[in-house]
Coordinates of all heavy atoms in Angstrom, one line a residue:
M1 N 3.0 3.9 60.7 CA 2.0 3.0 61.5 C 2.5 1.6 61.5 O 2.9 1.1 60.5 CB 0.7 3.1 60.9 CG -0.4 2.2 61.8 SD -2.0 2.7 61.5 CE -2.6 1.6 60.4
S2 N 2.7 1.1 62.7 CA 3.3 -0.4 62.8 C 2.1 -1.3 63.1 O 1.2 -1.0 64.0 CB 4.2 -0.2 64.0 OG 4.5 -1.4 64.6
L3 N 2.2 -2.3 62.4 CA 1.1 -3.4 62.6 C 1.7 -4.4 63.6 O 2.8 -4.9 63.3 CB 0.7 -4.0 61.4 CG -0.1 -3.2 60.4 CD1 -0.3 -3.9 59.1 CD2 -1.3 -2.7 61.0
R4 N 1.1 -4.8 64.6 CA 1.6 -5.9 65.5 C 1.0 -7.1 65.2 O -0.2 -7.2 65.0 CB 1.1 -5.4 67.0 CG 1.6 -6.3 67.9 CD 1.1 -6.0 69.4 NE 1.2 -7.1 70.3 CZ 0.2 -7.8 70.6 NH1 -1.0 -7.6 70.1 NH2 0.4 -8.8 71.4
K5 N 1.9 -8.1 64.9 CA 1.5 -9.5 64.6 C 0.8 -10.2 65.9 O 1.2 -9.9 67.0 CB 2.5 -10.3 64.0 CG 2.9 -9.9 62.8 CD 3.8 -11.0 62.1 CE 4.2 -10.6 60.7 NZ 4.7 -11.6 59.9
Q6 N -0.3 -10.8 65.7 CA -1.0 -11.3 66.8 C -1.1 -13.0 66.6 O -1.4 -13.5 65.5 CB -2.5 -10.9 66.8 CG -3.4 -11.3 68.0 CD -4.7 -10.5 67.9 OE1 -5.3 -10.5 66.8 NE2 -5.1 -10.2 69.0
T7 N -0.8 -13.7 67.7 CA -0.8 -15.1 67.8 C -2.2 -15.5 67.9 O -3.0 -14.7 68.5 CB 0.1 -15.6 68.8 OG1 -0.5 -15.3 70.0 CG2 1.7 -15.1 68.7
P8 N -2.6 -16.7 67.5 CA -3.9 -17.3 67.9 C -4.3 -17.2 69.4 O -5.4 -17.0 69.8 CB -3.9 -18.8 67.3 CG -2.8 -18.6 66.2 CD -1.8 -17.7 66.7
S9 N -3.3 -17.5 70.1 CA -3.4 -17.4 71.6 C -3.7 -16.0 72.1 O -4.6 -15.9 72.9 CB -2.2 -17.9 72.3 OG -2.3 -17.9 73.7
D10 N -3.0 -15.0 71.5 CA -3.4 -13.6 71.9 C -4.9 -13.3 71.5 O -5.7 -12.7 72.3 CB -2.5 -12.6 71.2 CG -1.0 -12.7 71.6 OD1 -0.9 -13.2 72.7 OD2 -0.2 -12.4 70.9
F11 N -5.2 -13.7 70.4 CA -6.6 -13.4 69.9 C -7.7 -14.2 70.9 O -8.6 -13.4 71.3 CB -6.8 -13.9 68.4 CG -8.3 -14.0 68.0 CD1 -8.8 -12.7 67.7 CD2 -9.0 -15.1 68.0 CE1 -10.1 -12.7 67.3 CE2 -10.3 -15.0 67.6 CZ -10.9 -13.9 67.2
L12 N -7.5 -15.4 71.1 CA -8.4 -16.1 72.0 C -8.5 -15.5 73.4 O -9.5 -15.4 73.9 CB -8.0 -17.6 72.1 CG -8.1 -18.3 70.7 CD1 -7.6 -19.8 70.9 CD2 -9.6 -18.4 70.3
K13 N -7.3 -15.0 73.9 CA -7.4 -14.3 75.2 C -8.3 -13.1 75.2 O -8.8 -12.7 76.1 CB -6.0 -14.0 75.6 CG -5.2 -15.2 76.2 CD -3.8 -14.8 76.5 CE -2.9 -15.9 76.7 NZ -1.5 -15.6 76.9
Q14 N -8.3 -12.4 74.0 CA -9.0 -11.2 73.8 C -10.5 -11.4 73.7 O -11.4 -10.5 74.0 CB -8.6 -10.5 72.5 CG -7.2 -9.7 72.7 CD -6.7 -9.1 71.4 OE1 -7.6 -9.1 70.4 NE2 -5.7 -8.5 71.3
I15 N -11.0 -12.6 73.4 CA -12.3 -12.8 73.1 C -13.1 -13.5 74.3 O -14.2 -13.8 74.2 CB -12.7 -13.5 71.8 CG1 -12.2 -14.9 71.7 CG2 -12.2 -12.6 70.6 CD1 -12.7 -15.8 70.6
I16 N -12.3 -13.9 75.3 CA -12.9 -14.4 76.5 C -14.0 -13.4 77.0 O -13.6 -12.2 77.1 CB -12.0 -14.9 77.6 CG1 -11.2 -16.1 77.0 CG2 -12.6 -15.2 78.8 CD1 -10.0 -16.7 77.8
G17 N -15.2 -13.9 77.3 CA -16.3 -12.8 77.8 C -17.0 -12.4 76.7 O -17.9 -11.6 76.9
R18 N -16.8 -12.7 75.3 CA -17.6 -12.1 74.3 C -18.2 -13.3 73.6 O -18.2 -14.5 73.9 CB -16.5 -11.7 73.2 CG -15.3 -10.8 73.7 CD -15.7 -9.3 73.8 NE -16.2 -8.6 72.6 CZ -15.5 -8.0 71.7 NH1 -14.2 -7.9 71.8 NH2 -16.1 -7.4 70.8
P19 N -19.3 -12.9 72.8 CA -20.2 -13.8 72.1 C -19.4 -14.7 71.1 O -18.6 -13.9 70.3 CB -21.3 -13.0 71.6 CG -21.2 -11.6 72.3 CD -19.9 -11.5 72.7
V20 N -19.7 -15.8 71.0 CA -19.0 -16.7 70.0 C -20.0 -17.7 69.4 O -21.1 -17.9 70.0 CB -17.7 -17.5 70.5 CG1 -16.6 -16.5 70.9 CG2 -18.1 -18.3 71.6
V21 N -19.7 -18.2 68.2 CA -20.5 -19.3 67.7 C -19.5 -20.4 67.3 O -18.4 -20.4 66.8 CB -21.1 -18.8 66.2 CG1 -21.7 -19.9 65.6 CG2 -21.9 -17.7 66.4
V22 N -19.9 -21.6 67.8 CA -19.1 -22.8 67.5 C -19.9 -23.8 66.7 O -21.1 -24.1 67.2 CB -18.7 -23.6 68.9 CG1 -18.0 -24.8 68.7 CG2 -18.0 -22.7 69.9
K23 N -19.4 -24.1 65.6 CA -20.2 -25.0 64.7 C -19.5 -26.3 64.8 O -18.3 -26.6 64.5 CB -19.9 -24.5 63.1 CG -20.6 -23.1 63.0 CD -20.3 -22.6 61.6 CE -20.9 -21.2 61.4 NZ -22.2 -21.2 60.7
L24 N -20.3 -27.3 65.2 CA -19.8 -28.8 65.3 C -19.7 -29.5 64.0 O -20.4 -29.1 62.9 CB -20.6 -29.4 66.3 CG -20.9 -28.8 67.7 CD1 -21.6 -29.8 68.6 CD2 -19.4 -28.6 68.3
N25 N -18.9 -30.4 64.0 CA -19.0 -31.4 62.8 C -20.2 -31.9 62.3 O -20.5 -32.1 61.1 CB -18.0 -32.5 63.1 CG -16.5 -32.0 63.3 OD1 -16.1 -31.1 62.8 ND2 -15.8 -32.9 64.1
S26 N -21.2 -32.0 63.3 CA -22.6 -32.6 63.0 C -23.3 -31.4 62.4 O -24.5 -31.8 61.9 CB -23.1 -32.9 64.3 OG -23.4 -31.8 65.2
G27 N -22.9 -30.2 62.3 CA -23.8 -29.3 61.7 C -24.5 -28.4 62.7 O -25.1 -27.3 62.4
V28 N -24.5 -28.8 64.0 CA -25.2 -28.0 65.1 C -24.4 -26.8 65.5 O -23.1 -26.9 65.5 CB -25.4 -29.0 66.2 CG1 -26.0 -28.2 67.4 CG2 -26.4 -30.0 65.9
D29 N -25.0 -25.6 65.7 CA -24.3 -24.5 66.1 C -24.7 -24.2 67.6 O -25.8 -24.5 68.0 CB -24.8 -23.2 65.3 CG -24.3 -23.1 63.9 OD1 -23.6 -24.2 63.4 OD2 -24.8 -22.3 63.2
Y30 N -23.6 -23.8 68.4 CA -23.8 -23.4 69.7 C -23.4 -22.0 69.9 O -22.2 -21.6 69.4 CB -22.9 -24.2 70.7 CG -23.6 -25.6 70.9 CD1 -23.1 -26.6 70.1 CD2 -24.7 -25.8 71.7 CE1 -23.7 -27.9 70.2 CE2 -25.2 -27.1 71.9 CZ -24.7 -28.1 71.2 OH -25.3 -29.4 71.2
R31 N -24.2 -21.0 70.3 CA -23.9 -19.7 70.5 C -24.0 -19.3 72.0 O -24.8 -19.7 72.7 CB -24.9 -18.8 69.7 CG -25.0 -19.2 68.3 CD -26.1 -18.4 67.5 NE -26.2 -18.9 66.3 CZ -27.0 -18.4 65.3 NH1 -27.7 -17.4 65.5 NH2 -27.0 -19.0 64.0
G32 N -22.9 -18.6 72.4 CA -22.8 -18.3 73.8 C -21.7 -17.4 74.1 O -21.0 -17.0 73.2
V33 N -21.6 -17.1 75.4 CA -20.4 -16.3 75.9 C -19.3 -17.1 76.2 O -19.5 -18.0 77.0 CB -20.9 -15.3 77.0 CG1 -19.7 -14.6 77.6 CG2 -22.0 -14.5 76.6
L34 N -18.1 -16.9 75.6 CA -16.9 -17.9 75.8 C -16.3 -17.5 77.2 O -16.0 -16.4 77.6 CB -15.8 -17.3 74.7 CG -14.4 -18.2 74.9 CD1 -14.7 -19.6 74.7 CD2 -13.5 -17.6 74.0
A35 N -16.5 -18.6 78.0 CA -16.0 -18.5 79.4 C -14.6 -19.0 79.5 O -13.8 -18.2 80.2 CB -16.9 -19.4 80.4
C36 N -14.0 -20.0 78.9 CA -12.7 -20.3 78.9 C -12.5 -21.5 77.8 O -13.4 -22.0 77.3 CB -12.2 -20.7 80.2 SG -13.1 -22.4 80.9
L37 N -11.3 -21.6 77.6 CA -10.9 -22.7 76.6 C -9.4 -23.0 76.9 O -8.6 -22.3 77.6 CB -10.9 -22.2 75.2 CG -10.0 -21.2 74.6 CD1 -9.7 -21.5 73.2 CD2 -10.7 -19.8 74.9
D38 N -9.1 -24.3 76.4 CA -7.6 -24.6 76.8 C -6.9 -25.0 75.4 O -7.5 -24.7 74.3 CB -7.7 -26.0 77.7 CG -8.3 -27.2 77.0 OD1 -8.5 -27.2 75.8 OD2 -8.6 -28.1 77.8
G39 N -5.7 -25.5 75.5 CA -4.9 -25.7 74.4 C -5.4 -26.8 73.5 O -5.0 -26.9 72.2
Y40 N -6.4 -27.6 73.9 CA -7.0 -28.7 73.1 C -8.2 -28.2 72.4 O -9.0 -28.9 71.8 CB -7.3 -29.9 74.0 CG -6.0 -30.6 74.4 CD1 -5.8 -30.4 75.7 CD2 -5.3 -31.4 73.6 CE1 -4.6 -30.9 76.3 CE2 -4.1 -31.9 74.2 CZ -3.8 -31.8 75.5 OH -2.7 -32.3 76.0
M41 N -8.5 -26.8 72.5 CA -9.7 -26.2 72.1 C -11.1 -26.8 72.7 O -12.0 -26.7 72.2 CB -9.9 -26.3 70.6 CG -8.8 -25.5 69.8 SD -8.8 -23.6 70.3 CE -10.3 -23.2 69.5
N42 N -10.8 -27.3 74.0 CA -12.1 -27.6 74.8 C -12.7 -26.2 75.2 O -11.9 -25.3 75.6 CB -11.7 -28.4 76.0 CG -11.2 -29.8 75.6 OD1 -11.9 -30.5 74.8 ND2 -10.2 -30.2 76.3
I43 N -13.9 -26.0 75.0 CA -14.5 -24.7 75.2 C -15.6 -24.7 76.3 O -16.4 -25.6 76.2 CB -15.1 -24.3 73.9 CG1 -13.9 -24.0 72.9 CG2 -16.0 -22.9 74.1 CD1 -14.5 -23.6 71.5
A44 N -15.7 -23.8 77.2 CA -16.7 -23.7 78.0 C -17.6 -22.4 77.7 O -16.9 -21.2 77.5 CB -16.2 -23.6 79.5
L45 N -18.8 -22.5 77.4 CA -19.6 -21.4 77.2 C -20.7 -21.1 78.3 O -21.2 -22.1 78.9 CB -20.5 -21.6 75.8 CG -19.7 -21.9 74.5 CD1 -20.6 -22.2 73.5 CD2 -18.8 -20.6 74.1
E46 N -21.1 -19.8 78.3 CA -22.2 -19.4 79.3 C -23.2 -18.9 78.4 O -23.2 -18.5 77.1 CB -21.7 -18.4 80.3 CG -20.5 -18.9 81.1 CD -20.0 -17.8 82.0 OE1 -20.1 -16.5 81.6 OE2 -19.4 -18.1 82.9
Q47 N -24.6 -18.9 79.0 CA -25.8 -18.4 78.3 C -25.9 -19.1 76.8 O -26.0 -18.4 75.7 CB -25.7 -17.0 78.1 CG -25.6 -16.1 79.4 CD -25.3 -14.8 79.1 OE1 -25.7 -14.0 78.1 NE2 -24.5 -14.0 80.1
T48 N -25.7 -20.4 76.8 CA -25.6 -21.1 75.6 C -26.9 -21.5 74.9 O -27.8 -21.8 75.7 CB -24.8 -22.5 75.8 OG1 -23.7 -22.1 76.5 CG2 -24.5 -23.2 74.5
E49 N -27.0 -21.3 73.6 CA -28.2 -21.6 72.7 C -27.6 -22.5 71.7 O -26.6 -22.4 71.1 CB -28.7 -20.4 72.1 CG -29.2 -19.4 73.1 CD -29.8 -18.1 72.4 OE1 -29.4 -17.7 71.4 OE2 -30.7 -17.4 73.2
E50 N -28.5 -23.6 71.5 CA -28.2 -24.7 70.5 C -29.1 -24.4 69.4 O -30.4 -24.3 69.4 CB -28.5 -26.0 71.1 CG -28.3 -27.2 70.1 CD -28.7 -28.5 70.9 OE1 -29.8 -28.5 71.3 OE2 -27.9 -29.4 70.7
Y51 N -28.6 -24.4 68.2 CA -29.3 -24.1 66.9 C -29.0 -25.4 66.0 O -27.9 -25.8 65.7 CB -28.8 -22.9 66.2 CG -29.3 -21.6 66.9 CD1 -28.6 -21.2 67.9 CD2 -30.4 -21.0 66.4 CE1 -29.0 -20.0 68.6 CE2 -30.8 -19.8 67.1 CZ -30.1 -19.3 68.1 OH -30.6 -18.2 68.7
V52 N -30.1 -25.9 65.4 CA -30.1 -27.0 64.4 C -30.9 -26.4 63.1 O -31.9 -26.0 63.2 CB -30.8 -28.3 65.0 CG1 -30.8 -29.4 63.8 CG2 -30.1 -28.7 66.2
N53 N -30.1 -26.4 62.1 CA -30.6 -26.0 60.8 C -31.1 -24.5 60.9 O -32.2 -24.1 60.4 CB -31.8 -26.8 60.3 CG -31.3 -28.2 59.8 OD1 -30.2 -28.4 59.4 ND2 -32.1 -29.2 60.2
G54 N -30.4 -23.7 61.7 CA -30.8 -22.3 62.0 C -31.8 -22.0 62.9 O -32.2 -21.0 63.0
Q55 N -32.4 -23.1 63.5 CA -33.6 -22.9 64.4 C -33.2 -23.1 65.8 O -32.5 -24.2 66.2 CB -34.7 -23.8 64.0 CG -35.3 -23.3 62.8 CD -36.8 -24.0 62.5 OE1 -37.1 -24.8 63.2 NE2 -37.4 -23.6 61.4
L56 N -33.5 -22.4 66.8 CA -33.2 -22.5 68.2 C -33.9 -23.8 68.6 O -35.1 -24.0 68.6 CB -33.7 -21.3 69.0 CG -33.5 -21.4 70.5 CD1 -32.0 -21.3 70.8 CD2 -34.1 -20.1 71.2
K57 N -33.1 -24.7 69.2 CA -33.6 -26.0 69.8 C -33.7 -26.0 71.3 O -34.4 -26.7 71.9 CB -32.8 -27.2 69.2 CG -33.1 -27.3 67.7 CD -34.5 -27.7 67.4 CE -34.7 -28.0 65.9 NZ -36.1 -28.1 65.6
N58 N -32.6 -25.4 71.9 CA -32.4 -25.6 73.3 C -31.7 -24.4 73.8 O -30.9 -23.7 73.2 CB -31.6 -26.8 73.6 CG -32.4 -27.8 74.5 OD1 -33.1 -27.4 75.2 ND2 -32.2 -29.1 74.2
K59 N -31.8 -24.1 75.2 CA -31.0 -23.2 75.8 C -30.4 -23.8 77.1 O -31.0 -24.6 77.7 CB -31.9 -22.0 76.3 CG -32.4 -21.1 75.1 CD -33.0 -19.8 75.8 CE -33.5 -18.9 74.5 NZ -33.9 -17.6 75.0
Y60 N -29.2 -23.5 77.3 CA -28.4 -24.0 78.4 C -27.7 -22.9 79.2 O -27.4 -22.0 78.7 CB -27.3 -25.0 78.0 CG -27.8 -26.1 77.1 CD1 -27.6 -26.0 75.7 CD2 -28.4 -27.3 77.6 CE1 -28.0 -27.1 74.8 CE2 -28.9 -28.2 76.6 CZ -28.6 -28.2 75.3 OH -29.0 -29.1 74.5
G61 N -27.6 -23.1 80.5 CA -26.9 -22.1 81.3 C -25.4 -22.2 80.9 O -24.8 -21.1 80.4
D62 N -24.8 -23.3 81.1 CA -23.5 -23.7 80.7 C -23.3 -24.8 79.8 O -24.1 -25.7 80.0 CB -22.6 -23.7 82.0 CG -22.6 -22.6 83.0 OD1 -22.7 -21.4 82.6 OD2 -22.6 -22.8 84.2
A63 N -22.2 -24.6 79.0 CA -21.9 -25.8 78.0 C -20.5 -26.1 78.0 O -19.8 -25.1 78.0 CB -22.7 -25.7 76.7
F64 N -20.2 -27.3 77.9 CA -18.8 -27.7 77.5 C -18.6 -28.5 76.3 O -19.4 -29.4 76.1 CB -18.3 -28.5 78.7 CG -16.8 -29.0 78.5 CD1 -15.8 -28.1 79.0 CD2 -16.5 -30.2 78.1 CE1 -14.5 -28.4 78.7 CE2 -15.1 -30.5 78.0 CZ -14.1 -29.7 78.3
I65 N -17.9 -27.9 75.4 CA -17.8 -28.6 74.0 C -16.3 -29.2 74.0 O -15.4 -28.4 74.0 CB -18.0 -27.5 73.0 CG1 -19.5 -27.1 73.1 CG2 -17.8 -28.3 71.6 CD1 -19.8 -25.9 72.2
R66 N -16.1 -30.4 73.7 CA -14.8 -31.0 73.5 C -14.2 -30.5 72.2 O -14.9 -30.3 71.1 CB -14.8 -32.5 73.5 CG -15.1 -33.1 74.8 CD -15.0 -34.7 74.7 NE -13.8 -35.1 74.1 CZ -13.5 -36.3 74.0 NH1 -14.1 -37.2 74.6 NH2 -12.3 -36.6 73.2
G67 N -13.0 -30.2 72.3 CA -12.3 -29.7 71.1 C -12.3 -30.6 69.9 O -12.4 -29.9 68.8
N68 N -12.3 -31.8 70.0 CA -12.4 -32.6 68.8 C -13.8 -32.7 68.1 O -14.0 -33.2 67.0 CB -12.0 -34.0 69.1 CG -12.8 -34.7 70.0 OD1 -13.6 -34.2 70.7 ND2 -12.7 -36.1 70.1
N69 N -14.9 -32.1 68.8 CA -16.2 -32.0 68.0 C -16.2 -30.7 67.3 O -17.1 -30.7 66.5 CB -17.3 -32.0 69.1 CG -17.4 -33.3 69.8 OD1 -17.3 -34.3 69.2 ND2 -17.6 -33.3 71.1
G70 N -15.5 -29.6 67.6 CA -15.6 -28.4 66.8 C -15.1 -28.4 65.4 O -14.1 -29.1 65.2
N71 N -15.8 -27.8 64.6 CA -15.4 -27.7 63.2 C -14.8 -26.3 62.9 O -13.8 -26.2 62.3 CB -16.6 -28.1 62.3 CG -16.0 -28.1 60.8 OD1 -14.9 -28.4 60.5 ND2 -17.0 -27.9 59.9
S72 N -15.5 -25.3 63.4 CA -15.0 -23.9 63.2 C -15.6 -23.1 64.3 O -16.5 -23.4 65.0 CB -15.5 -23.3 61.9 OG -16.9 -23.1 61.7
Y73 N -14.8 -22.1 64.6 CA -15.1 -21.2 65.7 C -15.1 -19.8 65.2 O -14.2 -19.4 64.4 CB -13.9 -21.3 66.9 CG -13.7 -22.7 67.2 CD1 -12.7 -23.5 66.5 CD2 -14.4 -23.4 68.2 CE1 -12.6 -24.8 66.9 CE2 -14.2 -24.6 68.6 CZ -13.4 -25.4 67.9 OH -13.0 -26.7 68.2
S74 N -16.2 -19.0 65.5 CA -16.3 -17.7 64.9 C -16.5 -16.7 65.9 O -17.3 -17.0 66.9 CB -17.6 -17.7 63.9 OG -17.6 -18.7 62.9
F75 N -15.9 -15.5 65.8 CA -16.3 -14.4 66.8 C -17.4 -13.7 66.1 O -17.5 -13.5 64.9 CB -15.0 -13.5 66.8 CG -15.4 -12.2 67.5 CD1 -15.4 -12.2 68.9 CD2 -15.4 -11.1 66.7 CE1 -15.6 -11.0 69.5 CE2 -15.7 -9.9 67.4 CZ -15.7 -9.9 68.8
C76 N -18.4 -13.4 66.8 CA -19.5 -12.6 66.3 C -19.8 -11.4 67.2 O -19.6 -11.4 68.4 CB -20.7 -13.5 66.1 SG -21.5 -13.9 67.6
S77 N -20.5 -10.4 66.7 CA -20.9 -9.2 67.3 C -22.4 -9.3 67.6 O -23.1 -8.3 67.8 CB -20.6 -8.0 66.5 OG -21.2 -8.1 65.3
C78 N -22.9 -10.6 67.6 CA -24.3 -10.8 67.9 C -24.7 -10.6 69.4 O -23.7 -10.7 70.2 CB -24.7 -12.2 67.4 SG -23.7 -13.6 68.2
S79 N -25.9 -10.2 69.7 CA -26.3 -10.2 71.1 C -26.9 -11.4 71.4 O -27.6 -12.0 70.7 CB -27.2 -8.9 71.2 OG -28.4 -9.1 70.4
L80 N -26.8 -11.8 72.8 CA -27.3 -13.0 73.2 C -28.6 -12.8 74.1 O -28.7 -11.9 74.8 CB -26.3 -13.9 73.9 CG -25.2 -14.4 73.0 CD1 -24.2 -15.1 73.8 CD2 -25.6 -15.2 71.9

């Protein structure tokens, strides 16, 4: 069995259209469907929900997150 090495770019292309969680440096989480991203890790989300301290605070149709605000990016199998 051969294991194929995957670049970060390959991985990110695979998760477009999938649910993701973006944790900002401020501690706020945004959960939504990844619409697109660029080389600077600027992210566009659809069906976005904003969580503060684990509690839902707001819902947005679309959201744009600048790459320098993100702390970590997680793939999740959660339903939105």
Side-chain angles (χ1 to χ4, degrees):
M1 177 156 100
S2 164
L3 293 177
R4 181 177 160 264
K5 290 195 176 191
Q6 187 177 39
T7 66
S9 178
D10 291 338
F11 171 74
L12 293 170
K13 287 177 190 173
Q14 289 179 355
I15 65 169
I16 290 176
R18 310 278 306 266
V20 295
V21 176
V22 179
K23 297 178 184 251
L24 301 188
N25 296 330
S26 65
V28 177
D29 294 354
Y30 288 92
R31 301 176 189 186
V33 176
L34 181 63
C36 63
L37 69 149
D38 65 15
Y40 297 101
M41 291 303 289
N42 295 315
I43 295 176
L45 296 176
E46 298 172 338
Q47 303 172 32
T48 310
E49 297 176 337
E50 177 183 51
Y51 288 83
V52 178
N53 297 323
Q55 295 194 352
L56 178 64
K57 292 295 179 182
N58 243 325
K59 290 187 178 188
Y60 307 100
D62 297 325
F64 181 79
I65 301 170
R66 285 187 47 170
N68 64 343
N69 288 323
N71 190 25
S72 66
Y73 309 90
S74 304
F75 171 73
C76 70
S77 58
C78 54
S79 60
L80 299 175

